[in-house]
Amino acid sequence: MRPVIVDSAIYRDGRRTKGPDDLSDALAEARATGDAFLWVGLYEPTEAEFSHVSDEFALHRLAVEDALKAHQRPKLEIYDDSLFVVLKPVVYEPESDTVSSGELMLFIGDSFVVTVRHGVGSPLGAVRKRLEAEPNVLKHGPTAVLYAVSDTVVDHYIDVAGELQVDLEELETDVFEPTGGNPARTAARIYTAKRQVLEFRRASVPLAGPMARLAAGSVPFVHEDAMPFFRDVQDHLLRANEQVEGLDRLLSDVLSAHLAQMGVRQNDDMRKISAWAAMAAVPTMLAGIYGMNFDHMPELRWTWSYPAVILLMAVIEVGLYRLFKRRGWM
């Protein structure tokens, strides 16, 4: 069990205290005084490793199954003895311009918090240190942990949305590059950005429902005085969702603009090819007529026939070139 439990501590009056190593004894000590709670953090436990924890805290079987399988949507579920919350933190990787998401599950109950992390995008270590430095917040018990974790996850959504906005501005520059840029590379970047935004939406958009319930109050195991704080988190989440929806629409517009520009460039290429083909057709036609070797042809034996025909070709070619140039075909 030691490698699985990242951290375990009893918090009394907002301050960390040394408690028993046994989870059952630690939970009993936290409940004995009524002003303390036990916070246990686990990282990617297996079913066998998590079974002891779930038995000690009487966690619901369905919630335990979700916590072990991961790949859950953000949600809030209420059981008889605990509250189960799923969050999906996101991380922006600047080296590859990609967004990855982890999973974070919280079990909130009578004098205890159990957190289960999956993936790398779970900021619990920093949250725990921040809360331990703010005993006035931490003394509100498990509700303070739920608020701090939710607030950190949602605030990071806004940071990631800002990074994606920078990537989108670079894409717009590539699309409207006067020289045309690299169409294949630009299209690949657009579709990659669409996938990143989709990954972001899977994490942030479904969280709106649970945050609305927490902001409205009347959720078991959550203190009613925390409603204004969860409303603040909800406001930040709405802003993040608006940003990601805006990014998705802008990416669709950028893709449409890119495809339209590719069509325009193809039409320009076809006009140029057609113009050069038309100019090549004139001398070909004249040479073909005078190459048929008929006995009776106009000016066939005229001394100036050859230079006259060449001059005629040149005049026609110059005329066609100027005509196509004026119309923008060349």
Side-chain angles (χ1 to χ4, degrees):
M1 290 298 297
R2 283 300 99 190
V4 179
I5 298 180
V6 178
D7 200 352
S8 176
I10 295 176
Y11 294 90
R12 179 173 289 105
D13 196 26
R15 300 189 182 279
R16 182 175 182 134
T17 61
K18 178 65 177 177
D21 292 334
D22 184 76
L23 293 180
S24 180
D25 294 339
L27 180 59
E29 180 178 325
R31 287 174 172 171
T33 58
D35 61 348
F37 71 96
L38 174 64
W39 183 356
V40 179
L42 301 94
Y43 179 70
E44 296 185 352
T46 64
E47 182 176 357
E49 292 167 338
F50 195 42
S51 61
H52 175 65
V53 177
S54 61
D55 291 342
E56 292 293 342
F57 293 96
L59 304 179
H60 197 278
R61 179 177 58 84
L62 295 178
V64 171
E65 182 179 348
D66 289 343
L68 290 173
K69 287 185 176 180
H71 304 293
Q72 303 294 318
R73 289 167 57 89
K75 61 182 179 179
L76 183 153
E77 294 181 347
I78 300 173
Y79 297 99
D80 293 336
D81 299 321
S82 63
L83 179 70
F84 180 58
V85 181
V86 179
L87 304 172
K88 290 183 73 69
V90 295
V91 175
Y92 178 82
E93 299 172 1
E95 295 81 7
S96 56
D97 294 336
T98 57
V99 173
S100 59
S101 62
E103 291 196 38
L104 181 56
M105 290 82 167
L106 295 93
F107 294 88
I108 310 293
D110 179 19
S111 300
F112 73 84
V113 178
V114 176
T115 55
V116 182
R117 296 189 296 122
H118 293 273
V120 296
S122 306
L124 283 189
V127 172
R128 189 186 285 260
K129 290 181 180 179
R130 191 186 76 184
L131 283 174
E132 290 177 354
E134 300 177 354
N136 290 333
V137 177
L138 193 56
K139 70 180 182 180
H140 291 90
T143 301
V145 177
L146 178 58
Y147 161 71
V149 172
S150 303
D151 184 58
T152 301
V153 170
V154 171
D155 283 348
H156 200 56
Y157 286 166
I158 297 176
D159 295 336
V160 173
E163 297 289 348
L164 291 176
Q165 180 66 43
V166 173
D167 291 344
L168 178 56
E169 291 173 357
E170 294 177 357
L171 275 176
E172 288 179 320
T173 301
D174 288 346
V175 168
F176 296 103
E177 180 72 28
T179 59
N182 187 334
R185 177 176 174 273
T186 301
R189 289 187 62 193
I190 293 174
Y191 280 110
T192 299
K194 290 282 283 185
R195 286 197 297 270
Q196 307 316 313
V197 171
L198 179 60
E199 182 72 17
F200 193 158
R201 291 185 62 182
R202 288 172 178 167
S204 66
V205 174
L207 187 57
M211 279 299 123
R213 294 175 64 184
L214 290 171
S218 68
V219 176
F221 308 106
V222 176
H223 202 283
E224 293 183 358
D225 293 341
M227 290 173 54
F229 298 95
F230 284 111
R231 280 199 294 267
D232 181 67
V233 176
Q234 183 187 24
D235 290 340
H236 291 178
L237 179 62
L238 291 176
R239 187 170 67 180
N241 285 339
E242 288 174 358
Q243 286 182 282
V244 73
E245 293 293 342
L247 288 171
D248 190 42
R249 288 193 299 269
L250 284 174
L251 276 171
S252 298
D253 294 340
V254 168
L255 178 59
S256 298
H258 176 64
L259 295 176
Q261 284 204 337
M262 289 185 64
V264 169
R265 294 189 186 112
Q266 289 177 348
N267 289 337
D268 289 340
D269 293 340
M270 290 303 299
R271 283 201 300 266
K272 292 178 181 179
I273 293 172
S274 300
W276 284 111
M279 293 175 62
V282 173
T284 303
M285 179 188 67
L286 294 176
I289 291 174
Y290 279 90
M292 289 188 289
N293 300 319
F294 290 124
D295 290 334
H296 303 287
M297 293 184 68
E299 296 84 26
L300 186 61
R301 300 185 183 279
W302 184 34
T303 304
W304 299 100
S305 296
Y306 178 75
V309 170
I310 296 298
L311 179 60
L312 177 61
M313 290 182 183
V315 171
I316 295 176
E317 291 295 301
V318 171
L320 288 174
Y321 179 83
R322 294 183 63 181
L323 175 63
F324 294 148
K325 190 73 174 178
R326 186 167 59 250
R327 295 187 176 182
W329 289 21
M330 300 187 70

